[in-house]
Amino acid sequence: MRKLRNTLYVTKDICYLAREGTNIVIREENKTIGRYPIHILENIVCFNYNGVSPAIIELCNSNNVSIAFVSPSGFYQGRFVGITNGNVLLRRQQYRIADSELLSLGYVKNILCAKTSNYRKILRNALRDHESKMECHLIFKAIENLKCDLENINTTNNLDSLRGIEGDSTRTYFSVFDQMILRQKNDFYFTTRSRRPPLDRVNAMLSFGYSILTNEIQSALETVGIDSYVGFFHRDRPGRASMALDLIEELRGYIVDRFVITMINLRSINKTGFEIKENGSVLLNEEGRYAFIKAWQENKQRTIIHPYLEENIEIGLLPYVQAQLLARTIRGDLSQYPPFMM
C-alpha cells in the first residue's frame, strides 16, 4: 500500500523545477524557494507554465516519480509516467473486456450504481443535518428521482442507455447542489455545471478538484498495472485517460463534492481566492489554489472504514484501494468489481 503524504504540488504560475544532485529545486525568477529530496516524493503536480528541466525528467524516471501537468485553472494537460512495469496479462484481459460491451456492462453498472447511490447519500445527509435551511421538497424529489435511476441502471443492458441514465442522474443531483451551500451565498452560488470554462466560483472549485483526483486515480491505476487510457464506460479517445474517468465516477461525490461544500460552508476559502477573466470564466488564483490544496492534503489524511474491506484507511488511499480491487476483478480473483459506496 502506498502512502499519499508525499505529493509535491507546485502552485505558483512562474515557478520552474530544476535538479541539483538528487534534489528537486523550485525556482522563482532565479531564486530558490524550495528544495525536496527525490526519495521522499512519489508524485509531482505542476500548475506552473514554466515547466521542468530535462534533468528533472531523468531524475523522476530513474526514481519512479510521476509528473502531472495541470493548467493554473485546473485543467489536466498530461502526465509523465516513465517506464511502465505493468502486468501484461492483466492489460490483455483489460483490453478484451473493453472490446466487449457484454463484459464491460457488469463493471459499468456497478460503478454507476455506486455513483448514484453516493449522490443520494450526500443529499440525504445534507437534509438530515440542515433540514431547516433547505427547500426540503426539492431535495426529496431529487432523492426519489435518483432512486428511479438506480432501478433503471440495474435493469438496463446496453452502454448507450446507461450513458443516458448517468446523464439524467447527474443533472438531477446538480439541480439541487446549491441547496447544500449554506454560507457565503452571495459569493458562492451554483445554477448549473459549467466546465470549459467554469463560470462561477463553485464550478471553478469542482473542476480543480476533479482534475487533481483524476491525476491521483491515473497514478493508482498505473501502479497496479492497469492501462489508465482504456476504459469500459468512457470509450477510447486520443489523450483521454478513459479508465481514470471511469473510476472517478464513484469517487467524485464523496471526495470532491463534499470537500468543496465543506470548504465553502466552513469559510476555509472566500472570494479573494478567485479571479474573473474577460470571457467570464472564473478561476482559482494562487491564494485560492494554496488554500484548496492545503485543505485537500489534510482531508486525505482522515481515516474511514472501507465499506468492502472493513478496514481503516486514509481517504487519500481510496484511489489505490479501488484500483487494486479493479485489478483483482479483471484478473478473475473477484467475481464482480466492488465499487466505493458511502
Side-chain angles (χ1 to χ4, degrees):
M1 194 71 76
R2 296 173 53 152
K3 295 296 180 184
L4 297 182
R5 297 181 183 176
N6 43 9
T7 297
L8 172 63
Y9 292 93
V10 183
T11 60
K12 287 192 174 183
D13 299 0
I14 59 175
C15 285
Y16 179 75
L17 273 64
R19 175 181 180 176
E20 288 185 2
T22 57
N23 294 313
I24 303 283
V25 176
I26 304 175
R27 291 177 178 159
E28 181 180 354
E29 297 179 347
N30 297 321
K31 180 181 177 181
T32 298
I33 61 172
R35 184 188 306 272
Y36 300 88
I38 190 67
H39 70 268
I40 70 170
L41 300 175
E42 289 185 349
N43 303 286
I44 301 172
V45 182
C46 297
F47 295 93
N48 55 326
Y49 285 123
N50 291 338
V52 304
S53 70
I56 287 288
I57 299 292
E58 180 185 10
L59 181 64
C60 289
N61 185 45
S62 59
N63 287 274
N64 198 27
V65 174
S66 68
I67 309 174
F69 297 94
V70 184
S71 73
S73 58
F75 292 123
Y76 179 74
Q77 305 292 316
R79 186 163 164 266
F80 169 78
V81 181
I83 299 172
T84 300
N85 297 313
N87 184 320
V88 65
L89 299 179
L90 172 66
R91 293 199 175 203
R92 280 182 178 272
Q93 182 61 16
Q94 176 190 354
Y95 301 151
R96 292 188 190 101
I97 296 171
D99 288 338
S100 167
E101 178 167 332
L102 181 62
L103 295 177
S104 297
L105 268 173
Y107 293 86
V108 174
K109 292 173 76 169
N110 285 1
I111 288 171
L112 295 186
C113 278
K115 175 183 180 178
T116 307
S117 176
N118 289 342
Y119 278 172
R120 290 187 77 231
K121 186 69 172 179
I122 290 169
L123 295 180
R124 289 169 62 187
N125 287 351
L127 194 61
R128 178 197 64 200
D129 297 336
H130 307 288
E131 182 176 356
S132 62
K133 301 177 182 179
M134 297 178 170
E135 296 184 57
C136 298
H137 67 284
L138 296 177
I139 305 293
F140 279 125
K141 182 179 179 181
I143 290 172
E144 284 303 306
N145 288 343
L146 290 171
K147 181 180 179 181
C148 292
D149 287 332
L150 269 174
E151 294 170 354
N152 290 333
I153 290 170
N154 285 319
T155 58
T156 298
N157 289 311
N158 69 82
L159 291 178
D160 285 338
S161 296
L162 286 172
R163 292 186 181 98
I165 297 169
E166 185 271 337
D168 181 71
S169 64
T170 299
R171 284 189 294 271
T172 296
Y173 169 72
F174 279 120
S175 72
V176 293
F177 195 83
D178 190 66
Q179 294 286 318
M180 294 184 284
I181 300 172
L182 306 176
R183 296 182 177 177
Q184 307 187 83
K185 294 288 285 188
N186 291 332
D187 299 322
F188 293 89
Y189 50 84
F190 184 92
T191 54
T192 187
R193 181 77 178 105
S194 55
R195 298 171 177 81
R196 295 181 180 270
L199 299 176
D200 56 58
R201 296 182 180 96
V202 179
N203 272 293
M205 293 177 72
L206 289 173
S207 292
F208 194 75
Y210 293 154
S211 291
I212 295 175
L213 182 56
T214 299
N215 172 63
E216 293 179 356
I217 292 172
Q218 273 195 271
S219 178
L221 291 168
E222 296 289 345
T223 296
V224 300
I226 294 175
D227 188 335
S228 63
Y229 288 89
V230 178
F232 301 153
F233 184 54
H234 294 83
R235 309 316 292 173
D236 294 352
R237 184 182 299 174
R240 181 167 78 172
S242 296
M243 184 58 83
L245 296 179
D246 283 1
L247 209 57
I248 197 178
E249 297 293 0
E250 66 193 71
L251 297 175
R252 66 168 77 237
Y254 181 74
I255 294 181
V256 179
D257 299 356
R258 293 167 70 252
F259 172 78
V260 167
I261 292 167
T262 299
M263 278 201 78
I264 296 170
N265 288 340
L266 293 182
R267 305 182 192 276
S268 300
I269 196 168
N270 57 52
K271 65 179 182 180
T272 63
F274 300 82
E275 57 182 297
I276 302 175
K277 298 294 187 179
E278 292 181 358
N279 65 353
S281 62
V282 181
L283 309 175
L284 284 153
N285 58 24
E286 182 185 328
E287 174 190 337
R289 290 194 296 272
Y290 177 82
F292 191 104
I293 289 171
K294 182 175 183 294
W296 179 269
Q297 290 292 80
E298 292 171 353
N299 186 61
K300 289 200 317 185
Q301 295 176 28
R302 290 176 48 235
T303 59
I304 61 169
I305 297 177
H306 191 279
Y308 179 77
L309 300 179
E310 298 182 345
E311 296 179 7
N312 283 319
I313 67 165
E314 296 176 357
I315 287 177
L317 287 174
L318 275 176
Y320 288 89
V321 171
Q322 293 309 127
Q324 289 173 342
L325 292 173
L326 179 61
R328 289 182 63 191
T329 309
I330 292 172
R331 288 193 185 98
D333 299 333
L334 297 175
S335 60
Q336 59 178 325
Y337 170 64
F340 176 79
M341 300 181 71
M342 294 170 57

